[in-house]
Amino acid sequence: MPVDAREYAAALGQYAAGVCLLTVQDDIDDVGTTVSSVMSVSASPPLVAVGLTAGGYPAEVLEEVGRCALTVLATEHAIVASRFSSAGRPSARHLLEAVPWTRAAGSGAIVLEAGLAALDCRLERLVEAGSHVLAFLTVEDVPVVNPDARPLLRLRGRYVDESGRPLARP
């Protein structure tokens, strides 16, 4: 018997996941998207996997450019995560007007200075996986590490702090 899509989504919603911002700089603009499907694949070589919507613009631009950055978001970035998860969003730079950021040396992609960490990456390959693609990324640099920052998590469809409490609206 096939699994009910709502039950499947509800079950996976019970799993708290860190929230990241994936950014790509191409010749035209900066593109970004919120992602919570990120996992460490290998320490040697340093490799991570990120789930992206198949056929989505971020996956398309990443495939074309071949480089990106991932910022692990802090609780203070809940509004940033919401902005980058919305459809029809403008340029990444416009969504970050009041947020301190810099560019990663290798990819030139935006990284948030107050994130928990940031990874400067090169695309190894994209693998089709149902309605998504897995982007396997080689980590070439770690331009940001803030061990005292508080993590932003996604749990039961909401952004929460490390204790699981929903974050107050700004």
Side-chain angles (χ1 to χ4, degrees):
M1 173 182 271
V3 173
D4 180 77
R6 289 177 301 210
E7 287 178 0
Y8 173 74
L12 290 183
Q14 301 301 313
Y15 179 72
V19 182
C20 295
L21 176 63
L22 181 137
T23 55
V24 180
Q25 180 190 35
D26 72 0
D27 293 336
I28 300 167
D29 207 349
D30 291 285
V31 175
T33 189
T34 302
V35 293
S36 57
S37 296
V38 178
M39 75 174 204
S40 172
V41 174
S42 170
S44 182
L47 189 66
V48 296
V50 176
L52 298 170
T53 303
Y57 190 62
E60 178 184 322
V61 174
L62 176 58
E63 185 173 29
E64 182 180 310
V65 173
R67 298 175 97 46
C68 67
L70 271 176
T71 301
V72 181
L73 299 180
T75 54
E76 67 190 73
H77 297 127
I79 192 73
V80 170
S82 292
R83 287 176 184 166
F84 279 92
S85 65
S86 301
R89 56 196 170 271
S91 163
R93 289 187 315 273
H94 297 296
L95 295 175
L96 295 170
E97 288 178 352
V99 179
W101 58 270
T102 189
R103 293 204 180 269
S107 66
I110 292 172
V111 294
L112 305 189
E113 294 175 2
L116 275 73
L119 308 174
D120 195 12
C121 303
R122 177 177 38 82
L123 177 65
E124 283 298 314
R125 68 184 167 276
L126 289 176
V127 176
E128 291 183 26
S131 61
H132 284 65
V133 294
L134 288 176
F136 287 90
L137 307 169
T138 297
V139 178
E140 296 186 326
D141 190 22
V142 181
V144 173
V145 175
N146 291 314
D148 296 328
R150 296 176 52 218
L152 178 62
L153 302 173
R154 183 129 173 108
L155 175 66
R156 299 182 184 118
R158 301 183 76 176
Y159 294 121
V160 300
D161 65 17
E162 68 274 19
S163 70
R165 285 189 297 258
L167 296 173
R169 299 231 181 241

